Amino acid sequence: MKAPHSYANAVAISAQKSLIPKSRLLAAIDAKSADEALELLTATGFGKNAQISGVGEYEKLVEAETLALREFIAEYGDSSIEYFCLLKGDFFNCDVAFRHVRLGVKQSYAGDCITDVAAIEQYVATGKGEVPVYVKDAVAALDKAQKDGGTGAELSLASLKSYYAAALKLIKRPFVKSIIRAEIDCANISAYFRSPDRETAEKQFIDGGKLKKEKLLVLRGSDTAKIRNAFMFSGYKDAIEACIKAKAEQMPLYAFEKIRDDYPMRKLYDKRYATEGITPVLLYAAYKRAEIRNFRTVISGKLAGAEAEAIVGRLRDGYVG
């Protein structure tokens, strides 16, 4: 962290005022058109005044905000915040590069990352180049998954498992690491709830969380009272309740993904008034990351003509306002 904590925190707290509040996101979802939604969401400065010719170029605004987030973290954050906010992008890009080079499938790369995309592509193609050890480990895991006849979903899972293993090694701050462990636990809870059988659930199990396989097995049953009792005094009582509801109502996969992503954020939200340490900087960076994702969700949904309920269901928890 280049700036003193007190100054960095003051900048972060002030920057929160320009974030898009949830109320504005919901208003944009209810807007009559994608153009009207874009106007609502950029009214607070989102997009850093990047020039676009129409709503169809909204990704340029996303790119501008992503670059600004990376610059904010470089100036005011530390390695734990950088890894928390940007490390997953490297693993996503490893997956994309692997599919592109090895399978001939082209997808867009993530901009919220640490390692240069060209370096990742070169390493995937040649096994050579200056890349972090965790990139090499991720490519090795993807290579093994492919040789084992893995599907696209299994390649993504291999990349995700590699990410969490690296995050737990690289992130040093205990509180930030606890959020990563909560993410792992919520991912495992979601997997055990929605998997068709025990074998599938155990294949999707991610190491590093606090909840063990034996504890999660109860989620495979249909006795909701037993499930509730098993997690009554855990920190995941609300997540369990949400999963029970989602499963009973046969909600789509994205409902479980939302539970997986949102509940760890509550650990941060509970500290929204904290001013000590790096908390305000971490909170702003996490809010901004969620804001970027939600902006893309709303505008892409409006352009696709999606129902308002479907778009709202894909929003992630972030700045409330």
Side-chain angles (χ1 to χ4, degrees):
M1 181 179 288
K2 297 178 182 178
H5 281 176
S6 57
Y7 179 74
N9 288 340
V11 171
I13 292 170
S14 177
Q16 285 189 29
K17 298 174 184 177
S18 66
L19 291 169
I20 302 172
K22 187 174 182 179
S23 59
R24 187 171 288 269
L25 287 168
L26 296 177
I29 292 171
D30 288 335
K32 295 179 180 179
S33 67
D35 289 289
E36 185 179 327
L38 182 70
E39 185 177 350
L40 279 167
L41 296 182
T42 55
T44 58
F46 187 94
K48 305 301 179 186
N49 296 316
Q51 297 301 304
I52 61 174
S53 59
V55 68
E57 295 185 347
Y58 72 92
E59 280 291 343
K60 290 183 179 180
L61 306 181
V62 170
E63 290 170 6
E65 286 291 346
T66 300
L67 176 60
L69 173 60
R70 292 174 65 172
E71 291 173 346
F72 173 85
I73 292 171
E75 185 168 359
Y76 301 113
D78 64 3
S79 62
S80 287
I81 294 178
E82 180 182 39
Y83 288 136
F84 177 72
C85 292
L86 303 176
L87 183 64
K88 186 177 283 188
D90 278 3
F91 287 84
F92 178 86
N93 289 341
C94 284
D95 192 355
V96 171
F98 190 89
R99 293 169 195 254
H100 181 200
V101 174
R102 304 285 181 86
L103 305 177
V105 178
K106 290 188 176 182
Q107 295 174 284
S108 297
Y109 287 102
D112 51 342
C113 58
I114 299 171
T115 306
D116 181 66
V117 168
I120 292 176
E121 274 207 345
Q122 180 186 2
Y123 183 78
V124 172
T126 66
K128 299 177 182 179
E130 295 295 323
V131 294
V133 172
Y134 63 75
V135 169
K136 297 178 181 180
D137 292 342
V139 174
L142 287 164
D143 192 47
K144 182 179 184 304
Q146 184 195 27
K147 289 178 180 177
D148 290 343
T151 63
E154 286 168 334
L155 289 177
S156 296
L157 180 61
S159 178
L160 188 65
K161 288 184 175 182
S162 296
Y163 159 67
Y164 280 120
L168 290 174
K169 287 180 182 178
L170 295 170
I171 293 173
K172 303 304 180 184
R173 289 187 177 272
F175 175 66
V176 182
K177 186 173 288 190
S178 74
I179 299 174
I180 296 297
R181 292 195 189 280
E183 286 185 12
I184 294 172
D185 282 337
C186 287
N188 288 334
I189 288 170
S190 175
Y192 271 72
F193 258 110
R194 58 183 172 78
S195 294
D197 51 60
R198 176 175 175 176
E199 182 181 2
T200 303
E202 293 191 345
K203 281 183 179 179
Q204 294 184 15
F205 181 83
I206 301 171
D207 290 318
K210 292 185 176 182
L211 301 177
K212 305 306 179 186
K213 291 180 180 179
E214 296 75 19
K215 176 77 170 179
L216 293 165
L217 274 178
V218 68
L219 303 179
R220 298 291 316 135
S222 58
D223 189 338
T224 55
K226 186 176 182 180
I227 292 171
R228 289 187 176 101
N229 288 335
F231 290 88
M232 178 67 68
F233 301 106
S234 76
Y236 302 107
K237 179 182 176 182
D238 291 342
I240 293 293
E241 199 62 44
C243 282
I244 289 173
K245 182 176 184 292
K247 186 174 182 178
E249 296 179 3
Q250 298 183 323
M251 296 175 71
L253 176 60
Y254 68 74
F256 289 93
E257 292 174 341
K258 178 175 172 59
I259 294 166
R260 178 197 66 195
D261 294 343
D262 283 353
Y263 278 84
M265 277 292 292
R266 292 189 176 189
K267 294 175 72 71
L268 264 176
Y269 190 70
D270 288 344
K271 290 183 174 288
R272 62 191 180 279
Y273 300 121
T275 57
E276 73 280 357
I278 62 163
T279 302
V281 174
L282 173 63
L283 188 61
Y284 172 76
Y287 278 160
K288 174 57 72 172
R289 186 178 62 169
E291 178 191 62
I292 293 170
R293 178 171 183 166
N294 287 336
F295 173 86
R296 178 185 276 134
T297 296
V298 173
I299 300 301
S300 63
K302 296 296 289 185
L303 286 171
E307 294 291 333
E309 184 180 0
I311 300 175
V312 171
R314 287 176 167 82
L315 293 180
R316 293 300 187 264
D317 282 353
Y319 181 66
V320 176

